[in-house]
């Protein structure tokens, strides 16, 4: 099969992904082989390519995968050939440890990530256990569904972790693939709440998209919003945003960081200004299978509309450079088939 392979840590601008012919694997007893239609493009891929998240090299990136079941192992019972399925970041866990028993499989020490620890979706085919893939709701096209599997699911987990209630004010720092889905969740689940959006530049594409999608106020990170935030979600790769978000957080408020790595350090915090009065800072680590299942059900009922930029398979390097430099708004999706 054809695949885009990363074989060394590099700057994204060096366009390191290479189209190669690799051996297609045969499903094990409880595995399915998925013929991939498309795969979402995620900021985590930038972190993997540039070494902030260390993948198992060589690796096929991609963890927002949509396709159809091509072959099944002899013990597979949940899916049949032809079924449309999705594959997300969570690829496997031990199922036995303290965290798994508590329903926190995202924290399992043996957590394996699709497109990082095992080969992912920048390819024609992908292997996955039947226990780690999901039926795609019928009202989503393949391209519309792809961003839901990470940008949407981890955004949903982040929103849950804010402990938000209706009538509260929430801030979204950064407005890309994840936040443009989260704002739709907030508008549906908390219809009486205010949503303030903070972007990196005044009147940039992200700002205009936030305005179009019903944000109650849009400003630049560092601006003072009309009122303090009860809850906040940070999806940006830069460290200073955490300090700025904490500075406009209300007493007892919570900031959730929705990402794996920051590209720059968090500046020094002043305890009295940034953390006192029971403010909280909480990170998100990975996702659970329940996050994906719950979110797909909710997304289907709303329904969520992903703003998608499609890229041809051979243009993956170009798409990643554009993502790094903020040259498109919404979510990127790589068309494989």
């Amino acid at each position: 099969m054809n695949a885009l392979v990363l074989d060394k840590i590099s700057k994204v601008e060096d366009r390191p992904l290479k189209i190669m012919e690799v051996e297609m694997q045969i499903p094990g007893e409880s595995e399915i082989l998925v013929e991939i239609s498309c795969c979402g493009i995620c900021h985590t891929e930038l972190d993997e390519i540039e070494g902030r998240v260390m993948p198992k090299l060589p690796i096929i990136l991609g963890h927002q995968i949509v396709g159809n079941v091509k072959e099944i192992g002899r013990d597979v019972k949940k899916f049949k050939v032809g079924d449309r399925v999705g594959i997300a970041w969570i690829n496997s866990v031990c199922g036995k440890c303290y965290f798994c028993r508590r329903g926190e499989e995202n924290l399992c020490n043996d957590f394996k990530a699709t497109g990082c620890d095992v080969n992912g979706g920048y390819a024609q085919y992908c292997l996955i256990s039947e226990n780690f893939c999901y039926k795609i709701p019928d009202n989503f096209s393949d391209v519309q569904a792809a961003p839901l599997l990470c940008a949407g699911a981890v955004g949903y987990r982040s929103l849950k972790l804010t402990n938000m209630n209706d009538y509260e004010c929430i801030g979204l720092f950064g407005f890309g693939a994840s936040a443009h889905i989260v704002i739709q969740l907030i508008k549906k689940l908390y219809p009486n709440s205010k949503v303030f959006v903070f972007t990196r530049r005044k009147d940039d594409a992200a700002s205009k998209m936030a305005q179009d999608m019903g944000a109650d106020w849009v400003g630049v990170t560092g601006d003072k919003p009309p009122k303090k935030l009860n809850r906040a979600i940070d999806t940006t790769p830069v460290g200073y945003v955490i300090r700025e978000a904490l500075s406009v957080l209300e007493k007892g408020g919570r900031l959730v960081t929705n990402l794996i790595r920051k590209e720059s350090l968090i500046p020094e915090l002043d305890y009295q200004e940034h953390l006192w009065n029971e403010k909280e800072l909480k990170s998100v680590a990975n996702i659970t299978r329940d996050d994906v299942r719950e979110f797909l059900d909710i997304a289907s009922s709303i329904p969520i509309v992903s703003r998608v930029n499609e890229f041809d398979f051979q243009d993956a390097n170009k798409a990643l450079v554009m993502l790094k430099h903020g040259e498109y708004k919404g979510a990127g999706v790589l068309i494989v088939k």
Side-chain angles (χ1 to χ4, degrees):
M1 68 175 183
N2 287 329
L4 287 157
V5 179
L6 176 70
D7 59 8
K8 64 179 180 180
I9 301 303
S10 171
K11 287 290 184 184
V12 171
E13 290 83 358
D14 294 338
R15 300 175 182 252
L17 301 186
K18 303 172 184 175
I19 297 180
M20 300 175 63
E21 190 173 279
V22 301
E23 184 178 358
M24 189 167 66
Q25 296 176 291
I26 298 172
E29 294 178 352
S30 62
E31 291 181 319
I32 63 175
L33 180 69
V34 177
E35 185 174 13
I36 297 170
S37 165
C38 60
C39 184
I41 300 166
C42 182
H43 196 280
T44 299
E45 273 109 64
L46 303 183
D47 292 329
E48 292 176 88
I49 291 168
E50 297 188 338
R52 290 178 294 276
V53 173
M54 286 302 300
K56 182 180 180 181
L57 298 174
I59 193 74
I60 300 169
L61 303 177
H63 57 269
Q64 302 179 94
I65 305 165
V66 179
N68 293 89
V69 177
K70 181 73 172 179
E71 296 179 23
I72 62 174
R74 66 181 185 185
D75 293 337
V76 170
K77 295 180 176 60
K78 297 180 180 178
F79 299 96
K80 63 182 185 300
V81 171
D83 283 351
R84 190 169 67 137
V85 297
I87 302 172
W89 176 251
I90 182 170
N91 189 277
S92 68
V93 294
C94 76
K96 303 174 184 177
C97 69
Y98 168 81
F99 297 109
C100 286
R101 293 197 307 270
R102 283 169 52 90
E104 296 173 338
E105 61 185 9
N106 58 306
L107 301 178
C108 175
N109 289 329
D110 288 327
F111 184 100
K112 297 292 188 298
T114 308
C116 185
D117 302 304
V118 298
N119 284 332
Y122 285 18
Q124 291 178 300
Y125 296 90
C126 183
L127 270 186
I128 187 74
S129 163
E130 68 169 337
N131 296 317
F132 287 84
C133 60
Y134 315 89
K135 185 180 185 303
I136 299 296
D138 292 337
N139 56 334
F140 294 117
S141 68
D142 291 1
V143 170
Q144 279 285 310
L148 305 180
L149 293 162
C150 179
V154 75
Y156 170 66
R157 182 174 183 83
S158 299
L159 184 59
K160 287 196 298 181
L161 291 177
T162 65
N163 290 341
M164 187 170 176
N165 298 298
D166 203 10
Y167 291 95
E168 291 185 324
C169 181
I170 186 168
L172 302 179
F173 288 81
F175 201 77
S178 187
H180 96 282
I181 293 174
V182 170
I183 194 172
Q184 296 178 65
L185 282 172
I186 296 167
K187 292 291 184 179
K188 179 66 175 182
L189 301 177
Y190 310 105
N192 299 295
S193 293
K194 297 289 187 182
V195 183
F196 296 165
V197 172
F198 301 77
T199 61
R200 58 176 141 181
R201 288 184 296 270
K202 184 177 177 61
D203 295 327
D204 61 5
S207 299
K208 292 173 182 176
M209 182 167 67
Q211 290 167 350
D212 290 344
M213 297 188 74
D216 296 285
W217 174 88
V218 179
V220 175
T221 299
D223 286 350
K224 185 177 180 180
K227 60 181 292 188
K228 287 196 171 183
L229 312 173
N230 304 108
R231 314 291 165 189
I233 298 174
D234 170 26
T235 61
T236 73
V238 288
Y240 81 91
V241 172
I242 287 181
R243 182 183 64 189
E244 297 299 332
L246 289 169
S247 71
V248 293
L249 199 64
E250 184 57 277
K251 298 174 183 178
R254 177 180 283 192
L255 166 64
V256 174
T257 59
N258 171 0
L259 66 160
I260 297 178
R261 296 288 185 273
K262 286 284 191 182
E263 294 177 9
S264 56
L265 295 176
I266 300 169
E268 183 174 299
L269 301 178
D270 180 278
Y271 176 77
Q272 183 170 348
E273 178 184 357
H274 299 114
L275 289 173
W276 192 52
N277 282 319
E278 300 189 357
K279 295 181 184 180
E280 295 179 272
L281 171 61
K282 189 173 183 66
S283 67
V284 172
N286 309 311
I287 51 174
T288 68
R289 284 171 285 180
D290 282 346
D291 291 329
V292 183
R293 295 186 192 106
E294 290 171 12
F295 173 67
L296 287 176
D297 285 344
I298 294 171
S300 178
S301 69
I302 290 176
I304 293 291
V305 178
S306 303
R307 299 202 177 184
V308 171
N309 302 268
E310 297 182 21
F311 296 92
D312 292 336
F313 188 70
Q314 63 268 22
D315 292 331
N317 285 304
K318 173 186 174 182
L320 287 160
V321 172
M322 291 177 67
L323 173 61
K324 181 175 180 178
H325 295 283
E327 294 176 5
Y328 63 81
K329 57 185 180 180
V333 176
L334 196 65
I335 305 302
V336 178
K337 182 181 177 183

